[in-house]
């Protein structure tokens, strides 16, 4: 396999992994959001099985803000209330700075109304409504060493109890047993690396090595 072919395979493999992880992430994020909203919880810590905190999940509620829902009605109102804020180029429009300031004022008041600073008269501004400008969501903020702790837990199989995604053929499915198998495989690979290192260090010269074949035979019979 040439270097370019190896890179192509690695990119294809990583793309498949990324797609699989993103699909699962979207599902888990939706479930997490529903749990936060239903439970009325604003913050929850992400803990490893040994209790070490690796991240903080924080709910971010949507905040109502003034938005223009009918540009023509808004323009007509500004023509009368503040004609100096109208500018005409190829199209006639309200000056962006004035629009921004007006929307900010109405957002702060929580109503689509403005008060004349000289007369105190309150006007309802047509074409503007107070609406949620974004959907309710949440953020994930890893702790200082959270990423390293998660990577370590992944390698050692400590995350085997989670329903993490596994790559399957198209149309295939996974089960919790797949996750357990992957976790067991990770532990076996770690143990193999440990035993290989011990062998390289000369553990095969240990006097107890003569008993190993007999012990293995007994385990197989059992």
């Amino acid at each position: 396999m040439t270097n370019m072919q190896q890179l192509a395979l690695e990119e294809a493999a990583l793309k498949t992994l990324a797609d699989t992880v993103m699909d699962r992430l979207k599902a888990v994020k939706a479930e997490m959001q529903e749990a936060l909203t239903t439970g009325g919880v604003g913050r929850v810590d992400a803990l490893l099985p040994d209790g070490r905190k690796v991240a903080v999940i924080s709910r971010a509620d949507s905040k109502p803000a003034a938005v223009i829902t009918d540009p023509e009605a808004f323009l007509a109102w500004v023509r009368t209330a503040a004609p100096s804020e109208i500018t005409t180029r190829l199209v006639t429009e309200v000056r962006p700075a004035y629009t921004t300031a007006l929307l900010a004022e109405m957002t702060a008041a929580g109503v689509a109304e403005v008060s004349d600073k000289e007369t105190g008269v309150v006007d309802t501004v047509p074409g503007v409504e107070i609406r949620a400008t974004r959907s309710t969501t949440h953020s994930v903020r890893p702790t200082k060493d959270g990423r390293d702790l998660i990577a370590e837990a992944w390698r050692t199989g400590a995350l085997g109890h989670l329903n993490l995604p596994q790559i399957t053929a198209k149309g295939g499915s996974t089960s919790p047993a797949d996750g357990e198998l992957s976790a067991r495989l990770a532990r076996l690979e770690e143990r193999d690396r440990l035993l290989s290192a011990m062998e390289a260090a000369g553990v095969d010269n240990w006097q107890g090595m003569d008993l190993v074949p007999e012990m293995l035979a007994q385990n197989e019979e059992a």
Side-chain angles (χ1 to χ4, degrees):
M1 180 180 294
T2 66
N3 183 56
M4 185 175 294
Q5 288 174 323
Q6 182 171 331
L7 288 173
L9 176 58
E10 184 172 353
E11 182 176 353
L14 290 172
K15 176 66 167 59
T16 301
L17 282 169
D19 290 345
T20 303
V21 170
M22 284 305 300
D23 288 343
R24 180 59 184 159
L25 176 59
K26 289 178 183 178
V28 171
K29 189 170 184 177
E31 292 176 18
M32 183 78 251
Q33 187 61 53
E34 182 178 358
L36 290 171
T37 303
T38 302
V41 178
R43 172 191 173 110
V44 60
D45 292 338
L47 306 176
L48 290 175
D50 61 11
R52 289 181 293 176
K53 183 167 72 173
V54 295
V56 176
I57 310 296
S58 301
R59 190 179 72 187
D61 294 326
S62 60
K63 296 182 179 180
V67 293
I68 298 175
T69 57
D70 187 338
E72 292 300 322
F74 178 67
L75 174 62
W77 178 83
V78 176
R79 277 183 186 277
T80 302
S84 62
E85 299 300 334
I86 296 296
T87 178
T88 300
R89 294 193 292 269
L90 294 178
V91 294
T92 300
E93 62 182 8
V94 181
R95 295 182 187 278
Y98 180 72
T99 298
T100 299
L102 207 58
L103 292 177
E105 180 181 340
M106 289 184 281
T107 295
V111 291
E113 298 176 348
V114 294
S115 174
D116 189 295
K117 293 178 175 55
E118 296 181 359
T119 65
V121 175
V122 177
D123 279 341
T124 297
V125 181
V128 176
E129 294 180 8
I130 304 297
R131 289 183 176 180
T133 56
R134 64 181 185 184
S135 59
T136 301
T137 183
H138 62 271
S139 64
V140 180
R141 298 192 305 277
T143 59
K144 182 178 180 180
D145 55 352
R147 296 181 187 277
D148 291 336
L149 291 175
I150 291 175
E152 176 189 354
W154 179 285
R155 289 194 300 270
T156 60
L159 303 181
H161 62 294
L162 301 180
N163 184 24
L164 297 177
Q166 306 294 322
I167 298 179
T168 61
K170 186 176 182 180
S173 60
T174 60
S175 67
D178 295 325
E180 295 173 4
L181 181 61
S182 294
R184 179 171 174 76
L185 178 59
R187 289 194 294 269
L188 289 174
E189 289 176 341
E190 185 68 21
R191 185 172 178 79
D192 180 69
R193 285 193 291 270
L194 172 62
L195 293 175
S196 295
M198 291 173 64
E199 183 179 3
V203 74
D204 54 337
N205 293 325
W206 173 53
Q207 59 183 3
M209 283 296 294
D210 294 336
L211 300 176
V212 172
E214 181 180 349
M215 293 173 65
L216 288 175
Q218 290 176 352
N219 289 336
E220 291 177 355
E221 290 174 1

